[in-house]
Amino acid sequence: MSQVLALKYRPKSFDGLIGQNSVTQTLTLALNQNRLSHAYLFSGLRGSGKTSTARIFSKALICEKGPRATPCEECENCKMANENRHIDIIEMDAASSRKIDDIRELIEHTKYKPNSARYKIFIIDEVHMLTKEAFNALLKTLEEPPQYVKFILATTDPLKLPPTILSRTQHFRFKQIGEKDVVNHLSYILNLENVKYEEEALRMLSRAGNGSLRDTLTLLDQAIIFSKGDITAPTLASMLGLLDPKELNTIFDVLLSKNRDKTVKIIKELENYECEVVIDEMIAYLKNAFFSMDSRFSTLLIERFFRILSEAKNLLYLNADNSFVLSLVFFKMIEATNIKTIDEMIENLESEKFRVEPTLEAKAVKSQTKQELETTQSKINTKNQENKESEDRFQRLVFLLKDRNLDTGICFEKSITFVSFEDKVLKLNSRADESCKKTLRHASSIIKHFVQEIFGIDTVIKMEKSEISKPREENTPKATEKEEVQPPITQSKEGENCGSCVAEHLSKDKGEIDANEILSNSFIKKATELFEPKKIEIHPKI
C-alpha cells in the first residue's frame, strides 16, 4: 500500500530532524543528563517538525533502556511508539477538543499511573485553540503534575497563549527550514525513490513550500505524478503556475535593454499568471543574481528593483488591477535603469574638481568687482525707485490742484516741471509766462498746502528758473543747420531763491512760523500733556 512521502519519511530519531539543530541539541543533552522538565512548549511554522519532535521525545522518555537521546528501537515501548499506539502516549487535538470538559477528562487521566511505561505523556497539538476556561482549568495541573506525567504542548501561534501557560513550560521555538536543507532532503528522498530530477526544480519546490517541509513533500508527491518520474524546471513551473527561469532571464534582458515594445508584449503574455507569483519569482531571481555576482546588476540597481517590487505587493493588497500593477512595475524598472549610479556621480564631481580654475587673486578681484557692480547697481535702482515715487507724488500734486481749481492746475502743469526730491528739498523748474505767474502767485498758499500734505510738512521748495522759448510762427522759415538752439538758462545757485514771483511765493518766507516752533509753543505743549494725543497734524490756513 502506497504512502505519502510526508508520512513515509517522517523522522523517527533526533538525527532525522531537518533544520532544527538548536532544539535537538538541547533535548538530547536534557535526556542524556536526566535534567527533564514536567512541561514543554513547541512553537513554530507548520511543517517545521513540532509534532515529530514531540513523538521522538516521548519515545526517548519511555524507552526501556532510557531515558536517553537515542532510543533502542527494539523494546516493546519503542515499537508501539513508532506505530502510534502506545497507551501511555496520549495525543489530543486542541482544535477539536477545546472545551473545559475535555480538559477535565485529561486531568482525570493524570490521576492514574502509566500502564507499562515510565511516564504518562500528554501531547496537546494546536494548544492555542483552547478556550479561556480550559486554560484556567489546566493551570494547576500543568504547574504541579504528578512525577510520572509529562506535558508536551505544540502550537503555531504562541502569542495567543496566556502568560500563565508560557511561564509554566520550557519554550522551544522551531525556525523556518532553510532552502538548502529542504533541497538536500528532497534529493535524498528522490534518490531513494529512483526519480530523476533537476536541481533548479527542487529549488522551485522549496520556494513554493515557504519553509514548511510537509508542504514541500506534498508538492513533491504531486510533481512526481505530473512529471511522469522526471522532474524538470519547465514541467514544475507549468504545474505550479510559476515562471520558467529562462522566461525570467528573458524578462530582465528586455527590461535592461529598455525595449518598450517587447515589454508590452511580455506584459500581455503574463496576464495568464498571478501577479503576486510573478513578483515573488522576480524577487527570487534578483536574489540569486545578487549572490552569483551577475555583472548585469549592480547592488544599487538590485536595491531599486527590489524596492519597486515590494511596493507593488502593497498595491496588490489594495485589490488593484493585476495587469496594470505589473505594467507599472516593468516601466518603473526601466526608468530605474536611467538613474545615475554613485560611481557616475563621483566621476562627474571629480571631473569638475580638476578643471582649470582661476587663481585666488583673480577670484578675489573678480569677486570684489562683482560686489562693487552689485552695490552700484543697487544704489542706481534705489535712486530710480525713489525718483519714480517722487514723480508719482508730483503727479498727485497736479491732480489735487486741478481738482481744487482747474485753471490753476492746468497752469501749474504747463509751467512747473519736477526736478528732484532729496533730503526734504523739492526742486522744481519754472518756465511760467506772465499770465501763469499771476495765477500761481494768487494760488501760492494752496500749492504750499498740497506740497506739505504730499511730500511732508518739513518740505522746502526750491525753484529753478528757465527762459521761455517763444514758439515759431508757421510762416517763419525754418532755421538752417548752422543755427544753434540756445539751451534754457537755469539758476546756477541752488541756495538762493529764484527771482520769479512764483518762487518768491512758493518758497518759505522769513516771517513764516516753522512747524517745530509751533510744536514748541507753551500752549501746544500744555494741550499735549492734557489730551495725550497719538498724532498731531499741522494744517496751514488756506
Side-chain angles (χ1 to χ4, degrees), residues 437 463-465 491 496-504:
K437 285 180 182 180
M463 194 72 67
E464 296 178 353
K465 181 182 176 183
Q491 188 72 20
E496 300 178 0
N497 291 333
C498 297
S500 67
C501 59
V502 178
E504 290 175 359

Side-chain angles (χ1 to χ4, degrees), residues 36 55-56 323 476:
L36 301 173
R55 291 177 179 176
I56 295 169
S323 178
T476 305

Side-chain angles (χ1 to χ4, degrees), residues 379-434:
K379 290 181 180 179
I380 293 172
N381 292 338
T382 304
K383 191 170 183 63
N384 291 339
Q385 182 67 23
E386 291 175 354
N387 290 339
K388 181 68 170 59
E389 293 176 357
S390 301
E391 289 176 3
D392 292 341
R393 291 184 185 181
F394 183 76
Q395 293 300 324
R396 176 168 173 74
L397 173 63
V398 174
F399 173 77
L400 292 176
L401 288 173
K402 285 184 178 180
D403 184 63
R404 183 64 178 265
N405 188 297
L406 185 61
D407 293 337
T408 302
I410 292 174
C411 187
F412 185 87
E413 183 180 22
K414 182 176 68 174
S415 304
I416 306 298
T417 56
F418 174 80
V419 178
S420 66
F421 178 66
E422 294 178 358
D423 299 328
K424 298 183 180 181
V425 177
L426 177 63
K427 293 182 181 180
L428 302 175
N429 187 290
S430 173
R431 56 180 187 280
D433 55 14
E434 291 300 326

Side-chain angles (χ1 to χ4, degrees), residues 77-236:
N77 287 336
C78 289
K79 290 179 181 179
M80 287 191 292
N82 288 333
E83 296 171 2
N84 295 328
R85 59 182 181 85
H86 201 290
I87 194 171
D88 292 326
I89 300 177
I90 303 167
E91 290 194 28
M92 173 183 169
D93 180 20
S96 57
S97 304
R98 60 193 301 266
K99 297 182 180 179
I100 189 171
D101 293 334
D102 301 311
I103 295 301
R104 283 174 180 165
E105 185 179 350
L106 183 146
I107 294 172
E108 190 67 24
H109 279 82
T110 62
K111 296 178 181 179
Y112 304 104
K113 290 186 177 182
N115 290 320
S116 59
R118 185 179 297 105
Y119 297 105
K120 180 173 280 191
I121 302 168
F122 294 90
I123 300 175
I124 307 177
D125 205 0
E126 300 299 332
V127 69
H128 65 274
M129 300 294 287
L130 291 177
T131 61
K132 181 179 178 182
E133 293 77 10
F135 275 125
N136 292 334
L138 183 61
L139 282 178
K140 190 61 178 176
T141 306
L142 190 65
E143 183 177 7
E144 295 180 0
Q147 292 183 354
Y148 52 81
V149 173
K150 301 292 183 185
F151 284 100
I152 302 176
L153 312 180
T155 179
T156 55
D157 195 353
L159 297 178
K160 291 184 179 180
L161 297 180
T164 50
I165 295 292
L166 295 173
S167 64
R168 287 166 169 80
T169 58
Q170 282 192 14
H171 191 180
F172 290 85
R173 296 170 178 83
F174 285 68
K175 61 184 179 181
Q176 181 176 329
I177 303 174
E179 181 179 327
K180 184 178 180 181
D181 293 331
V182 174
V183 171
N184 292 337
H185 189 61
L186 294 180
S187 61
Y188 168 75
I189 292 174
L190 291 175
N191 288 330
L192 293 177
E193 295 290 325
N194 295 319
V195 176
K196 296 179 181 179
Y197 63 89
E198 290 181 359
E199 193 77 20
E200 181 61 31
L202 298 187
R203 283 195 288 269
M204 294 172 68
L205 272 175
S206 176
R207 290 197 297 270
N210 293 320
S212 172
L213 190 59
R214 182 173 61 242
D215 292 359
T216 307
L217 291 174
T218 302
L219 291 174
L220 182 61
D221 266 324
Q222 185 180 349
I224 292 173
I225 299 170
F226 184 82
S227 62
K228 300 176 183 180
D230 187 8
I231 303 175
T232 60
T235 305
L236 196 60

Side-chain angles (χ1 to χ4, degrees), residues 275-276 279 310-322 324-325 328:
C275 184
E276 187 172 3
I279 292 172
S310 300
E311 291 173 356
K313 296 192 78 171
N314 293 332
L315 291 176
L316 292 176
Y317 295 145
L318 300 175
N319 295 325
D321 180 73
N322 289 0
F324 184 61
V325 170
L328 284 176

Side-chain angles (χ1 to χ4, degrees), residues 2-9 221:
S2 63
Q3 194 176 21
V4 296
L5 297 177
L7 297 178
K8 184 177 180 179
Y9 293 97
D221 266 324

Side-chain angles (χ1 to χ4, degrees), residues 453-470:
E453 180 181 329
I454 295 172
F455 290 91
I457 196 167
D458 297 332
T459 303
V460 177
I461 303 173
K462 289 191 178 181
M463 194 72 67
E464 296 178 353
K465 181 182 176 183
S466 61
E467 292 186 355
I468 305 168
S469 57
K470 297 181 180 180

